Amino acid sequence: MNTIDNFNFSGKKALIRVDFNVPLNESFEITDDTRIQESAPTIKKILADGGMPILMSHLGRPKGVEEKYSLKHVQAHVAKVMGAEVIFASDCVGDVAENAAVGLKPGQILLLENLRFHKEEEAGDEAFAQKLAKLGDIYVNDAFGTAHRAHASTAIIAKFFPKAKCFGYLMAKEIVAIDKVLKNGEKPVTAVLGGSKVSSKITIINKMLDTVNNIIIGGGMTYTFVKAKGGKVGASICEDDKMELALDILKQAEAKGVNIYIPLDVIAADSFNNDAHTQVVEVDAIPDGWQGLDAGPKTLVKFAEVVKGSKTILWNGPLGVFEFDNFSNGTKALGDAIGEATASGAFSLVGGGDSVAAVKQFGFQNKVSYVSTGGGAMLESLEGKELPGIKAILE
Ligand code: AMP
């Protein structure tokens, strides 16, 4: 893979697209610096080579120039994390940026103002990309979180660095993780797909049918499958207009030799509420007025058995309404099983959409092999789409 390891950055200006789109509180303090931490290996390696990192990122969704979305709010923290002086340029292109880039010395980092203060960024404007390109000698893309966007700084800019473009370490890690699940993972490969709706997961299910050995279906999607097969789902979340699709998925899985596992029993509740009354019932015999909000004990034993028998595991989406403490057991138990499988040598990737929230809430990030940093970008990768940010470097 074409990474920063293929370049010697000594005396060179590395124009790095990072994802510093971090959450800030009302006092503009960073409340979660994961994205900055994740970019540190790339930035530090370039500094260690004697290179000069020039960092460009977006922050939030500003409409024009909006003070609250200024990247100067992260300047001090970036300096602390990287252990280097950070100079801030109050614009990402033009004289201000160019003069700052020219004056940059080895050991210093230049942080450019929010790319999205210019509408040309999201428009993928070529002239704007060229202005950015003037600032550096080598283009590095390390912003996996925006790799699914064909923006000026994430994709278009690469054409101005035909021989001097590469992935940063974070991008490289994400690409390796995706390939392990989609292409060269050790078998059996299992995808655990939870979450609320079949409609939002259909593309990923279709892709997994061509990729994996086992698919575990959980969460709210369960009931569309169960009802389609003639079961009683009570008041559970169910997409009636997707029942035919569900049956088609089951048929395709059979034809392709993919095992599909659906919950056997569930924790049913008499309302959508943490303090609802509950009972354990068979998945296809949920009483009227009751709704399945978590996986039941028999289900968890079966799912754990499948997961522990796997060598490669993808986890996308919770097994129940994990935001309610009383319905988080299934998601936690699944995380434990994936953690055990990982400890025994399996590769496990968590990512796509909001899955990472559940993993962080229960502290699973250290028990799985890899937690993706890019919700939308990972989801699109797992759906089999080619990401513009990756393609632009490979071309
Ligand atoms: P998604 O964004 O599609 O991955 O879905 C995640 C959401 O699905 C979480 O907020 C869960 O609360 C919700 N969810 C999981 N299981 C159920 C269920 N049985 N009934 C309703 N919502 C569920």
Side-chain angles (χ1 to χ4, degrees), residues 16 34 77 81 101 134 185 205 234 259 279 357:
I16 315 174
T34 308
H77 193 70
V81 172
K134 270 169 91 173
I205 296 176
N259 305 308
Q279 55 176 317

Coordinates of all heavy atoms in Angstrom, one line a residue, residues 16 34 77 81 101 134 185 205 234 259 279 357:
I16 N -1.4 17.5 4.8 CA -2.1 16.3 5.4 C -3.6 16.6 5.6 O -3.9 17.6 6.3 CB -1.5 15.8 6.7 CG1 0.0 15.8 6.7 CG2 -2.1 14.5 7.1 CD1 0.6 15.5 8.0
T34 N -10.6 11.9 20.3 CA -10.2 10.6 19.6 C -9.6 10.9 18.2 O -8.5 10.4 17.9 CB -11.4 9.7 19.5 OG1 -12.0 9.5 20.7 CG2 -11.0 8.3 18.9
H77 N -4.6 22.2 21.7 CA -4.6 20.8 22.0 C -3.8 20.0 21.1 O -3.1 19.0 21.4 CB -6.1 20.3 22.1 CG -6.2 19.0 22.7 ND1 -6.0 18.7 24.0 CD2 -6.5 17.8 22.1 CE1 -6.2 17.4 24.2 NE2 -6.5 16.8 23.1
V81 N -0.9 17.3 22.0 CA -0.9 15.9 21.6 C 0.4 15.6 20.7 O 1.0 14.5 20.9 CB -2.2 15.6 20.8 CG1 -2.1 14.1 20.2 CG2 -3.4 15.7 21.8
A101 N 3.0 28.9 5.1 CA 3.6 27.6 4.6 C 5.1 27.9 4.3 O 6.0 27.1 4.6 CB 2.9 27.1 3.4
K134 N -0.8 24.1 -3.7 CA 0.4 25.0 -3.7 C 1.2 25.0 -2.4 O 2.4 25.3 -2.3 CB 0.0 26.4 -4.0 CG -0.1 26.8 -5.4 CD -0.7 28.1 -5.6 CE 0.2 29.3 -5.5 NZ -0.5 30.6 -5.9
G185 N -10.1 -12.1 4.8 CA -10.3 -12.6 6.2 C -10.2 -14.1 6.3 O -10.7 -14.8 5.4
I205 N -26.3 -5.9 3.9 CA -26.7 -7.3 4.0 C -26.4 -8.0 2.6 O -25.8 -9.0 2.5 CB -28.2 -7.5 4.3 CG1 -28.5 -7.0 5.7 CG2 -28.6 -9.0 4.2 CD1 -29.9 -7.0 6.1
G234 N -46.1 -9.2 17.8 CA -46.8 -8.2 18.7 C -46.6 -6.8 18.2 O -46.8 -6.5 17.1
N259 N -25.0 -19.1 6.2 CA -25.9 -19.4 7.3 C -26.4 -18.1 7.9 O -25.6 -17.2 8.2 CB -25.1 -20.1 8.4 CG -24.4 -21.3 7.9 OD1 -25.0 -22.2 7.3 ND2 -23.1 -21.4 8.2
Q279 N -40.9 -9.9 29.8 CA -41.0 -11.4 29.9 C -40.1 -12.0 28.7 O -40.0 -11.3 27.7 CB -42.4 -11.9 29.8 CG -43.2 -11.4 28.6 CD -44.6 -12.0 28.5 OE1 -44.8 -13.2 28.7 NE2 -45.6 -11.2 28.2
A357 N -20.7 3.9 19.1 CA -21.3 4.4 20.4 C -21.5 3.3 21.4 O -21.2 3.5 22.6 CB -22.6 5.2 20.1

